């Protein structure tokens, strides 16, 4: 209890100091008062002894001396004994005579008490009979007791005729000193009692601010910085309380600032386009933002363990700290940058990683490389043909007019092929830059589909393909750019015949679907794998890379179709069954929608 309470410690310290001080003062007073009392008693007895000696010296009737000891004892207040010059006791007061003997009692009478006629022969007697005053304290063989004795010679005309000895028992003197000691003791008890109350009050007054500081400190530890310590004085405790209150205010401001910064940081982390994932090296998740869950496609609540297939590549990234590591997770490619750290809450080794889904970026890079290769090939092939046939005509290698006409037609077709490629690139550039303009007018979709189909029948015949048209009648008038609609259907037909083997069938259908017009181009080609369908509308994308170069496709047709349809406020879709064919559809809103 005392060990845990500063109030009790202060109280005990103050009381202990007072008790020790009172004990020291009591001992000192005991010694001082004892010495003073004995010295005062000896001086009194010496003065009375000298007075009695003078009285005895002037007393002419020496025969009456034997009866004067008791009387003199009562006058002196002590025991009195008178001896002559030879050391014989002339008269000695009774053991109970004199004030100094009242404390003896009858049982104090010792055997061998001096009586008249007894001869005394001690060093003290010889000295007093020699004319010297003798004072002695302690055991007296003459009285067989502890006495304080004062012996004064009786001189008549300068000659020692005897001596008067005053004596008092030490017990009576000690009793008087004991009374003084009791008085000191009782005074000490009262002082201790008063000091105990004052010390308790002082200790509580001193520790009250400390207790209040402790209460406020506990509130601060719990996150409550509103508590304040009352400042009731200007001393050290008052200044300490003021400093403590200032500390509380500063901490409140600092914690509030840190909370704001933490909130900002959390908003920044949660708003990042990249994923952030912190985890202990044993795989336990510490923190993640929504983007990390979106990229990894799993839930990442704090406290659970990461899947093994994810943990191993992440640890590899941690080992390559400071470097960007690419990991493959299912169909994704994720760039990971990791840094190790010491997690404060658990004290364990942990790591924080930045995750970026670069699957689309990688695919785009691949598509660009393929596009450059395709464009290079598409440019090189017609240019090679044009150059070859032109050189043949220039060198006169054509045998006749008909052969020269064939050479010229080949050059013309290859030039048209180059023009189509350039037009596609030009359209793509305008769409990307947002500079595509539409010339909107009323369009008869049945007439437009028939017109486009007629243009492509010769191409279909060359590839031994059948082209069927099925337009539901009647269809409402459509508000659109007729030239762009022809380009859309033409690109779908180009895509269809390039991927349909000879003997196959291509079909164009148009019908109203609710508040939209639906146009479909289907083929009986080899189809598209399901995992490829989401990417066929992307720029530069080709399903069959090896075949695309030989059939003249650049990978831009479907991307242009999607952009032109969306520019009209429509949408596109595609479905395919591998080995049976594909269906490419687009929807355009009808007039008023």
């Amino acid at each position: 209890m005392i060990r845990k309470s500063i109030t009790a410690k202060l109280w005990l310290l103050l009381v202990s100091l007072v008790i020790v001080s009172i004990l020291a003062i009591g001992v000192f007073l005991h010694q001082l008062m004892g010495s003073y009392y004995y010295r005062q008693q000896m001086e009194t007895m010496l003065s009375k002894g000298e007075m009695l000696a003078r009285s005895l010296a002037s007393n002419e009737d020496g025969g009456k001396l034997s009866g004067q000891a008791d009387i003199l004892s009562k006058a002196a207040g002590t025991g009195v004994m008178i001896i002559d010059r030879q050391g014989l006791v002339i008269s000695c007061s009774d053991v109970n005579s004199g004030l100094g003997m009242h404390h003896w009692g009858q049982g104090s009478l010792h055997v061998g008490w001096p009586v008249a006629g007894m001869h005394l022969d001690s060093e003290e007697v010889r000295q007093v009979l020699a004319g010297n005053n003798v004072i002695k304290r302690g055991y007296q063989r003459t009285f067989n007791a502890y006495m304080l004795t004062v012996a004064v010679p009786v001189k008549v005309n300068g000659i020692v005729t005897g001596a008067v000895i005053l004596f008092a028992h030490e017990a009576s003197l000690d009793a008087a000193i004991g009374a003084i000691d009791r008085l000191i003791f009782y005074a000490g008890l009262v002082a201790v009692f008063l000091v105990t109350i004052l010390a308790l009050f002082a200790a509580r007054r001193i520790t009250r601010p400390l207790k209040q500081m402790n209460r406020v400190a506990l509130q601060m530890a719990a996150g409550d910085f509103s508590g304040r310590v009352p400042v009731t004085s200007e001393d050290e405790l008052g200044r300490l309380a003021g400093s403590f209150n200032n500390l509380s205010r500063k901490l409140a401001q600092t914690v509030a600032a840190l909370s704001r910064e933490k909130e900002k940081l959390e908003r920044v982390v949660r708003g990042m386009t990249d994923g952030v994932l912190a985890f202990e090296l044993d795989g336990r998740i510490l923190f993640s933002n929504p983007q990390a869950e979106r990229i990894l496609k799993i839930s990442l609540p704090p406290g659970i363990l990461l899947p093994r297939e994810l943990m191993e590549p992440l640890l590899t990234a941690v080992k390559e700290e400071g470097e960007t590591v690419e990991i493959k997770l299912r169909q994704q490619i994720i760039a990971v940058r990791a840094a190790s750290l010491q997690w404060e809450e658990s004290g364990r080794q942990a790591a924080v990683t930045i995750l970026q889904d670069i699957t689309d970026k990688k695919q785009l890079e691949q598509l660009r490389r393929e596009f450059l290769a395709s464009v290079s090939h598409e440019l090189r092939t017609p240019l090679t043909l044009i150059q070859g046939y032109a050189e043949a005509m220039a060198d006169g290698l054509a045998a006749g007019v008909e052969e020269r006409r064939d050479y010229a037609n080949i050059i013309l077709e290859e030039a048209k092929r180059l023009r189509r490629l350039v037009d596609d690139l030009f359209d793509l550039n305008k769409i990307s830059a947002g500079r595509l303009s539409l010339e909107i007018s009323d369009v008869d979709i049945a007439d437009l589909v028939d017109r486009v189909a007629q243009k492509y029948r010769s191409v279909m015949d060359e590839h031994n393909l059948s082209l069927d048209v099925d337009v539901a009648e009647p269809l409402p008038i459509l508000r659109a750019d007729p030239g762009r609609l022809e380009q859309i259907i033409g690109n779908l037909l180009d895509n269809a015949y390039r991927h349909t083997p000879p003997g196959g069938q291509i079909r164009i259908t148009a019908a109203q679907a609710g508040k939209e017009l639906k146009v479909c181009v289907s083929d009986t080609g080899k189809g598209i794998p399901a995992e490829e369908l989401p990417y066929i509308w992307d720029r530069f994308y080709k399903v069959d890379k090896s075949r695309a170069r030989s059939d003249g496709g650049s990978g831009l047709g479907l991307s242009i179709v999607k952009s032109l349809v969306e520019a009209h406020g429509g949408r596109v879709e595609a479905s395919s069954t591998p080995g049976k064919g594909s269906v490419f559809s687009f929807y355009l809103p009808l007039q008023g929608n």
Side-chain angles (χ1 to χ4, degrees), residues 269-332:
V269 171
R270 294 188 179 279
M272 289 175 59
T273 56
D274 296 338
V276 178
L277 174 62
F279 59 93
E280 294 180 352
L281 297 187
D282 62 357
R284 193 172 304 278
I285 297 173
L286 300 174
F287 171 80
S288 67
N289 65 350
Q291 287 71 21
E293 296 183 342
R294 179 183 57 80
I295 292 173
L296 298 176
K297 295 181 173 59
I298 58 175
S299 179
L300 300 170
I304 71 168
L305 294 176
L306 289 169
R308 183 181 298 273
E309 64 271 14
L310 178 60
M311 189 62 194
E312 292 180 359
L314 289 180
L315 289 178
T316 301
V318 173
K319 293 178 182 178
E320 301 293 332
E321 183 173 352
E323 302 292 333
T324 300
V325 178
E326 295 181 3
I327 64 175
K328 291 185 178 181
L329 185 66
R330 296 181 290 275
Q331 302 297 324
Q332 292 177 280

Side-chain angles (χ1 to χ4, degrees), residues 5 7 78 105 116 145 168 195 221 272 294 341 400 423 488 496 502 527 549 573:
S5 173
T7 302
T78 62
V195 168
M272 289 175 59
R294 179 183 57 80
L341 54 86
D423 287 343
I488 291 170
R549 293 185 182 181
E573 68 177 18

Side-chain angles (χ1 to χ4, degrees), residues 34-61:
S35 298
Y36 173 80
Y37 185 76
Y38 273 108
R39 185 172 60 255
Q40 189 70 23
Q41 188 70 13
M42 285 187 294
E43 291 175 354
T44 301
M45 292 174 66
L46 181 60
S47 176
K48 291 180 178 181
E50 290 175 347
M51 182 185 65
L52 291 177
R54 286 194 297 271
S55 298
L56 292 174
S58 63
N59 192 337
E60 298 177 355
D61 188 0

Side-chain angles (χ1 to χ4, degrees), residues 115-343:
V115 294
M118 179 182 290
H119 182 264
L120 302 179
D121 184 19
S122 63
E123 182 63 29
E124 293 81 7
V125 172
R126 287 193 291 271
Q127 289 183 5
V128 74
L129 293 178
N132 300 317
N133 293 337
V134 178
I135 300 173
K136 183 179 181 182
R137 176 186 174 189
Y139 179 75
Q140 302 289 337
R141 187 166 54 85
T142 302
F143 299 97
N144 193 25
Y146 287 90
M147 292 286 185
L148 172 62
T149 59
V150 175
V152 180
V154 179
K155 296 180 180 180
V156 177
N157 298 321
I159 299 172
V160 177
T161 61
V164 60
I165 300 174
L166 279 69
F167 56 89
H169 202 285
E170 282 193 6
S172 63
L173 301 178
D174 290 340
I177 296 175
I180 297 174
D181 289 342
R182 284 191 296 274
L183 180 62
I184 296 173
F185 175 74
Y186 293 140
L189 286 180
V190 173
V192 169
F193 176 74
L194 294 176
V195 168
T196 297
I197 296 176
L198 293 175
L200 186 61
F201 174 77
R204 287 184 174 179
R205 183 176 178 83
I206 293 173
T207 58
R208 185 180 297 113
L210 299 179
K211 291 180 179 179
Q212 292 171 337
M213 291 180 197
N214 179 64
R215 175 180 53 80
V216 174
L218 292 176
Q219 291 178 352
M220 292 167 58
D224 180 9
F225 296 93
S226 61
R228 293 293 182 270
V229 180
V231 180
T232 57
S233 64
E234 297 182 359
D235 56 9
E236 289 81 356
L237 285 175
R239 291 194 294 272
L240 178 61
S243 300
F244 197 87
N245 291 337
N246 186 48
L247 172 64
S248 179
R249 284 191 293 269
K250 293 293 184 182
L251 282 177
Q253 296 172 1
T254 303
V255 171
L258 289 176
S259 297
R260 290 193 296 270
E261 292 300 322
K262 181 181 179 181
E263 185 178 351
K264 290 179 183 178
L265 180 60
E266 288 181 352
R267 286 201 298 267
V268 169
V269 171
R270 294 188 179 279
M272 289 175 59
T273 56
D274 296 338
V276 178
L277 174 62
F279 59 93
E280 294 180 352
L281 297 187
D282 62 357
R284 193 172 304 278
I285 297 173
L286 300 174
F287 171 80
S288 67
N289 65 350
Q291 287 71 21
E293 296 183 342
R294 179 183 57 80
I295 292 173
L296 298 176
K297 295 181 173 59
I298 58 175
S299 179
L300 300 170
I304 71 168
L305 294 176
L306 289 169
R308 183 181 298 273
E309 64 271 14
L310 178 60
M311 189 62 194
E312 292 180 359
L314 289 180
L315 289 178
T316 301
V318 173
K319 293 178 182 178
E320 301 293 332
E321 183 173 352
E323 302 292 333
T324 300
V325 178
E326 295 181 3
I327 64 175
K328 291 185 178 181
L329 185 66
R330 296 181 290 275
Q331 302 297 324
Q332 292 177 280
I333 302 176
I334 302 173
V336 180
R337 193 176 183 89
S340 58
L341 54 86
Q342 186 80 17
W343 195 249

